[in-house]
């Protein structure tokens, strides 16, 4: 636990970058990944990918978040 230390934006960004690097380094190389997804999953993904360009997704952000 961090005592008497302020978590600045810079410190949080550095921690996030270090975590991302550690996670990526823990993964096997792509040529060692041989997972076969089910046909049903593949069909759902294709439908989702085709729909991305034709549908509008709305994200709501609270006004209090925008105007700090």
């Amino acid at each position: 636990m961090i005592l008497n230390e302020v978590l600045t934006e810079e410190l949080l960004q550095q921690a996030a970058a270090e975590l991302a690097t550690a996670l990526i380094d823990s993964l096997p190389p792509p040529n060692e990944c041989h997972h076969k997804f089910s046909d049903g999953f593949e069909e759902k993904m294709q439908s989702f990918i085709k729909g991305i360009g034709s549908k509008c997704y709305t994200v709501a952000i609270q006004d209090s978040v925008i105007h700090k």
Side-chain angles (χ1 to χ4, degrees):
M1 185 169 163
I2 300 173
L3 299 175
N4 299 324
E5 186 172 336
V6 177
L7 293 176
T8 63
E9 183 77 19
E10 182 179 313
L11 184 61
L12 290 172
Q13 287 178 348
Q14 179 184 352
E18 289 176 14
L19 176 61
T21 299
L23 287 172
I24 291 169
D25 290 347
S26 72
L27 297 172
N31 62 346
E32 291 181 15
C33 299
H34 303 289
H35 182 77
K36 171 69 174 123
F37 292 101
S38 70
D39 291 339
F41 178 81
E42 293 283 355
E43 289 172 11
K44 288 178 184 178
M45 287 305 297
Q46 287 303 317
S47 176
F48 175 73
I49 291 168
K50 288 178 186 174
I52 287 175
S54 62
K55 295 179 183 171
C56 177
Y57 295 94
T58 303
V59 176
I61 301 174
Q62 291 180 335
D63 190 57
S64 61
V65 174
I66 297 171
H67 298 97
K68 285 188 177 180

